[in-house]
Amino acid sequence: RDPHGYGFYFDPFGDGGHGTQVGVKILHNRIDHVGECLAVPEGIPVDRGFTFSHNICGPGIGYHDTESTQPGHYIEMGGAQNVRVDHNAFVGPADPNVASVGLHLNVFHIFGDASNVEFSNNILWHTQTIGQALLLQEGRLNNVRIDNNLDVEDPRCDAHNSPCQNYSFW
């Protein structure tokens, strides 16, 4: 486990370099008690062709986060091109500190342009997202496919003033 709270963290500029990351496949893993299962912060054009399939992500996402600037998503990407997220189980509950430190917690968050993205055949089980389970924002969307997913939310999140009130897609 990464000491900074990530199951998998891909940043081509992380070592001061100027690389690209193309054709990355994350397959058949069990990732739990981390801030995020997968983080790809740069996005297009340096990050393309990510596949996240047949993984179990959770429980305990947002693990040991103490402030709202720490990682707190199941998957987060800074823009996306040719991304496939399929046949995964996203499992709650989230870390109990997530709501108290002010994190918004998404299962799949893309901020920036997105093209050729598939989110299909996944199970979202009591994820306790805060805000949206799927959040695609701040960019143009082209050829985004979301189908055949099962989202079973934690019934406690429906309670009045619950810290994990959410909706499935934004």
Side-chain angles (χ1 to χ4, degrees):
R1 180 177 351 192
D2 180 322
H4 301 292
Y6 299 96
F8 292 92
Y9 184 87
F10 291 90
D11 185 353
F13 307 137
D15 64 355
H18 298 287
T20 59
Q21 301 172 136
V22 179
V24 176
K25 294 182 180 188
I26 299 125
L27 311 170
H28 303 282
N29 298 285
R30 169 70 192 227
I31 311 153
D32 59 56
H33 296 90
V34 295
E36 294 181 352
C37 287
L38 171 62
V40 186
E42 296 301 328
I44 302 169
V46 296
D47 296 320
R48 300 182 314 275
F50 275 76
T51 300
F52 189 85
S53 295
H54 301 282
N55 298 292
I56 300 171
C57 178
I61 302 306
Y63 186 66
H64 281 271
D65 289 348
T66 58
E67 57 187 63
S68 64
T69 58
Q70 291 179 307
H73 295 295
Y74 287 75
I75 296 175
E76 183 175 31
M77 306 182 100
Q81 184 177 34
N82 301 326
V83 172
R84 192 173 101 207
V85 176
D86 66 349
H87 298 94
N88 299 290
F90 298 98
V91 180
D95 185 271
N97 289 329
V98 168
S100 65
V101 299
L103 288 177
H104 74 278
L105 176 65
N106 309 116
V107 170
F108 187 43
H109 181 192
I110 296 176
F111 56 96
D113 294 342
S115 65
N116 302 321
V117 175
E118 177 183 350
F119 187 89
S120 300
N121 302 303
N122 298 293
I123 297 171
L124 289 68
W125 186 263
H126 293 219
T127 57
Q128 296 183 339
T129 55
I130 300 171
Q132 309 82 8
L134 277 68
L135 174 60
L136 309 177
Q137 70 178 81
E138 300 174 4
R140 289 176 284 161
L141 304 178
N142 180 35
N143 194 28
V144 174
R145 181 177 149 192
I146 300 166
D147 70 344
N148 203 37
N149 299 290
L150 174 64
D151 184 5
V152 178
E153 290 300 328
D154 187 332
R156 293 173 291 180
C157 294
D158 288 336
H160 182 67
N161 292 326
S162 167
C164 59
Q165 287 184 336
N166 65 66
Y167 41 95
S168 294
F169 181 75
W170 177 265

